[in-house]
Amino acid sequence: MQVYVSNREIEQIAEGLVHVACGKPPPKRIDIDSVASYLGLTVRYEKFAESDQDKIGFTSDGKSALTVFRNGQKQRIIFPKETIVLDSFLQYPCESSRRRFTLAHEISHILINRADPTHTAPCFNRVYDTERRYDLNELHERMNLGECQANTMAAIILMPKELLAVSVRRYFRKNKIPVYGDCVFLPEIKPSMQAMADELGVSFTTMLIQLRKYGLLEERDMAEYFDKIKGGDRNE
């Protein structure tokens, strides 16, 4: 029987990990590689050769093989249990934020598995391609509870609430960022938001999700947005 790990447990485990591995208060950017080292985890990079090209991260259960390219040949490799394997393309500088989130995601799988010792299956991190049509089994693999929980924990590890709140105050000199509708921002503040995401080492979209989750966005009416972009006072 699988043990249920609550969302609150996930939050406290992630926040606690940041404090013990990175210090309190946490630095401007979480060193996710140091977090992996603190947990005693081995991180490997391999060129994935799985038939599902969306797979970019893998946490081994010590029994299941991963298909990789070595010396130009496909090989099925069984890595030691709790070894994290990332696709080697993630080492390119342009993939830094994706590498960081993928590593945090796989670390989260290990932490959740440790909290639920009955759950020992190997875990893949997959890219979700909005242009691709998935069948029901593929959608289930990408959106099951374990994957959602790992994504939730990964985001908290990389962006704990206290760190994100401090970043908002430093970049905007206020406690919340004005948003119009669900996701419309004044054009002059977008560069600062992107700079904040870059400093945190995450994607803009991932940061936006956490800002909304933590209540760090101040919802305003679209009428105000149009008043401002017509040429009125845009400094408030």
Side-chain angles (χ1 to χ4, degrees):
M1 179 178 178
Q2 187 169 335
V3 177
Y4 177 70
V5 181
S6 70
N7 288 334
R8 185 57 185 149
E9 282 182 274
I10 286 172
E11 291 174 5
Q12 291 196 346
I13 291 170
E15 291 169 355
L17 175 62
V18 169
H19 288 157
V20 298
C22 302
K24 188 177 182 178
K28 292 180 180 179
R29 175 185 291 210
I30 301 301
D31 187 341
I32 194 62
D33 296 283
S34 292
V35 171
S37 296
Y38 171 82
L39 292 170
L41 301 176
T42 298
V43 181
R44 299 278 300 273
Y45 291 87
E46 300 277 356
K47 186 175 181 181
F48 282 26
E50 292 283 325
S51 57
D52 183 351
Q53 296 184 2
D54 290 349
K55 295 176 178 177
I56 60 174
F58 176 75
T59 296
S60 178
D61 62 354
K63 301 175 184 177
S64 305
L66 175 69
T67 306
V68 300
F69 282 112
R70 287 187 177 177
N71 300 318
Q73 302 292 323
K74 287 185 178 181
Q75 296 186 32
R76 298 279 289 168
I77 307 295
I78 297 177
F79 293 91
K81 185 178 180 180
E82 293 193 342
T83 298
I84 294 173
V85 188
L86 304 182
D87 197 309
S88 56
F89 86 91
L90 292 171
Q91 293 178 292
Y92 289 114
C94 63
E95 298 291 346
S96 175
S97 63
R98 190 186 303 199
R99 185 195 74 86
R100 286 168 49 76
F101 191 87
T102 304
L103 178 52
H105 177 98
E106 299 304 333
I107 289 172
S108 298
H109 271 306
I110 290 172
L111 291 173
I112 293 169
N113 289 351
R114 289 180 181 179
D116 171 13
T118 66
H119 184 74
T120 57
C123 302
F124 277 102
N125 185 18
R126 295 172 169 86
V127 177
Y128 185 82
D129 186 351
T130 57
E131 300 297 322
R132 177 178 166 186
R133 298 184 65 180
Y134 295 99
D135 61 34
L136 289 177
N137 287 334
E138 290 174 323
L139 286 172
H140 175 73
E141 288 177 345
R142 286 161 177 77
M143 299 180 181
N144 65 39
L145 178 62
E147 292 304 307
C148 291
Q149 288 184 324
N151 281 337
T152 296
M153 181 178 280
I156 297 171
I157 291 172
L158 293 175
M159 293 170 287
K161 184 176 181 178
E162 60 187 312
L163 174 57
L164 203 51
V166 168
S167 294
V168 169
R169 290 194 295 270
R170 185 168 64 253
Y171 276 91
F172 299 97
R173 294 188 174 88
K174 56 181 67 177
N175 293 326
K176 294 186 178 183
I177 303 172
V179 61
Y180 302 88
D182 289 331
C183 58
V184 180
F185 299 92
L186 291 174
E188 61 263 31
I189 74 169
K190 288 182 179 179
S192 294
M193 292 184 69
Q194 186 60 61
M196 190 168 79
D198 292 342
E199 180 179 83
L200 293 165
V202 299
S203 70
F204 186 97
T205 301
T206 302
M207 182 186 72
L208 185 57
I209 291 171
Q210 290 306 101
L211 287 169
R212 182 171 286 111
K213 175 182 176 180
Y214 294 147
L216 296 173
L217 297 178
E218 181 183 355
E219 295 184 6
R220 297 188 181 181
D221 193 89
M222 287 298 298
E224 180 183 332
Y225 172 79
F226 288 110
D227 283 343
K228 289 181 178 293
I229 66 170
K230 283 193 301 184
D233 184 1
R234 295 168 65 174
N235 295 318
E236 293 186 1

